[in-house]
Amino acid sequence: RRRRRSWGAPDLHIKSGSTLRLVCTLKQSTEPPVYVFWYHEDRMINYDKDRGVSVHSDKSSSVLVIAEAQKRDSGNYTCVPSNARPASINVHVLNGKLL
């Protein structure tokens, strides 16, 4: 199991029940990655359809979508392209209104 650093990762706050959409942009890449893996904490979630996860990738980006995000979807998300550095974000799914 790989540990990913999340120090200094930005934070995203969304309301429970809304769609979580994370975009991993692949800059300065001469060719598309062979793969882009998405992790929630230490678990790879690319194919976790039971949780409503879908991933769409092209040569310049990878998009992770979770329909109707819930509190359990809070945590650190990391995209890991085959040919670029990983990028992370901390997601906070909040009950009630966003301030």
Side-chain angles (χ1 to χ4, degrees):
R1 235 160 56 158
R2 295 196 302 196
R3 296 287 301 169
R4 280 163 302 290
R5 289 184 279 167
S6 60
W7 304 301
D11 289 274
L12 172 66
H13 296 82
I14 67 166
K15 186 177 175 184
S16 178
S18 51
T19 299
L20 171 62
R21 185 176 185 270
L22 302 177
V23 179
C24 184
T25 304
L26 308 169
K27 297 179 181 176
Q28 300 175 342
S29 180
T30 56
E31 58 187 45
V34 175
Y35 61 81
V36 177
F37 290 148
W38 282 92
Y39 289 85
H40 177 219
E41 302 298 344
D42 287 326
R43 184 167 178 255
M44 198 262 285
I45 59 169
N46 285 52
Y47 308 104
D48 198 346
K49 297 201 186 310
D50 291 341
R51 283 179 54 188
V53 174
S54 63
V55 175
H56 311 282
S57 298
D58 61 28
K59 64 182 178 181
S60 62
S61 67
S62 179
V63 180
L64 171 81
V65 177
I66 298 178
E68 298 185 26
Q70 302 299 317
K71 188 81 173 157
R72 70 171 187 253
D73 297 312
S74 293
N76 181 262
Y77 285 81
T78 304
C79 77
V80 183
S82 63
N83 61 348
R85 286 185 184 180
S88 295
I89 188 167
N90 295 309
V91 173
H92 306 274
V93 181
L94 308 173
N95 292 326
K97 295 181 180 177
L98 295 178
L99 299 178

